[in-house]
Amino acid sequence: GQQVMQIPQYQHVQEGEDFTTYCNSSTTLSNIQWYKQRPGGHPVFLIQLVKSGEVKKQKRLTFQFGEAKKNSSLHITATQTTDVGTYFCVGEYGNKLVFGAGTILRVKS
Amino acid sequence: NAGVTQTPKFRVLKTGQSMTLLCAQDMNHEYMYWYRQDPGMGLRLIHYSVGEGTTAKGEVPDGYNVSRLKKQNFLLGLESAAPSQTSVYFCASRNGPPYGYTFGSGTRLTVV
């Protein structure tokens, strides 16, 4: 079945450093969504990418969707302590959504 | 502006007891979902519904039942709780593809 592999599983960065998490699918995605879950909280929708090669920005966050619509990345520039949490990608295959396992981000101040 | 509301927020059950988790959304969304989240396992889909009166099995449906009698409500039932069902349960809704999910704040269930 469809799987979305997300790496890395954990990332500890010094405040001010950049952070990137990657998602890969073996088959073409209809779209990909990104969510953030703060410790003890619930996943919150960040963005959706639909078009091949799409790049979207939200302040310090940059989201990319690969040309083949099989991979995606989330890049955070100059991390802050407020960025801590788990970042999930969710791949959509037609009507089916598959969650990546998530990347846990810890920021040392 | 409630979004998705889950009740209860916390619950401790004894093995063999039953309970129902309630999810209510006020956004008129067609699709509703129940997920469980366990450490190192990510979010796994239990059951989902694509509209009032419909339900379907997800990835880990065993030991759970659901009902969607009203569009705004999606109930998750545990008939005979087991320690393996200790988890955090999240309800989510959306207006179908390609829209994103809105999640509830979760129910932390412990089965002893």
Side-chain angles (χ1 to χ4, degrees), chain B residues 1 21 25 37 42 49 56 58 77 81 89 97 100 104:
Chain B
N1 196 23
L21 282 67
Q25 52 98 1
Q37 186 174 38
S49 168
Y89 292 86

Side-chain angles (χ1 to χ4, degrees), chain B residues 64-92:
Chain B
Y64 306 94
N65 57 76
V66 287
S67 65
R68 183 105 182 262
L69 299 179
K70 293 183 178 181
K71 186 177 184 178
Q72 63 267 34
N73 295 335
F74 195 29
L75 279 64
L76 177 70
L78 287 73
E79 290 186 347
S80 180
S84 61
Q85 294 177 305
T86 294
S87 188
V88 180
Y89 292 86
F90 287 104
C91 176

Side-chain angles (χ1 to χ4, degrees), chain B residues 6-100:
Chain B
Q6 288 183 235
T7 53
K9 295 192 184 308
F10 303 93
R11 186 72 185 268
V12 178
L13 285 180
K14 293 182 179 178
T15 298
Q17 285 185 320
S18 63
M19 79 164 294
T20 300
L21 282 67
L22 172 63
C23 177
Q25 52 98 1
D26 62 2
M27 298 169 287
N28 204 35
H29 285 171
E30 289 292 337
Y31 289 51
M32 296 187 75
Y33 306 80
W34 277 107
Y35 285 90
R36 61 177 289 174
Q37 186 174 38
D38 304 291
M41 302 288 289
L43 284 121
R44 293 183 292 169
L45 182 63
I46 305 171
H47 287 279
Y48 66 99
S49 168
V50 300
E52 180 179 321
T54 73
T55 63
K57 294 180 180 180
E59 183 185 354
V60 289
D62 293 342
Y64 306 94
N65 57 76
V66 287
S67 65
R68 183 105 182 262
L69 299 179
K70 293 183 178 181
K71 186 177 184 178
Q72 63 267 34
N73 295 335
F74 195 29
L75 279 64
L76 177 70
L78 287 73
E79 290 186 347
S80 180
S84 61
Q85 294 177 305
T86 294
S87 188
V88 180
Y89 292 86
F90 287 104
C91 176
S93 72
R94 69 173 187 155
N95 242 347
Y99 301 100

Side-chain angles (χ1 to χ4, degrees), chain A residues 31 33 35 37 41-43 45 48 88 92 94-95 97 99 101, chain B residues 31 33 35 37 42-43 90 94 97-101 103-105:
Chain A
N31 64 74
Q33 301 168 17
Y35 292 78
Q37 184 177 20
H42 60 277
F45 176 75
Q48 177 176 261
F88 293 97
E92 185 148 21
N95 195 25
L97 293 118
F99 274 78
Chain B
Y31 289 51
Y33 306 80
Y35 285 90
Q37 186 174 38
L43 284 121
F90 287 104
R94 69 173 187 155
Y99 301 100
Y101 291 104
F103 279 87
S105 57

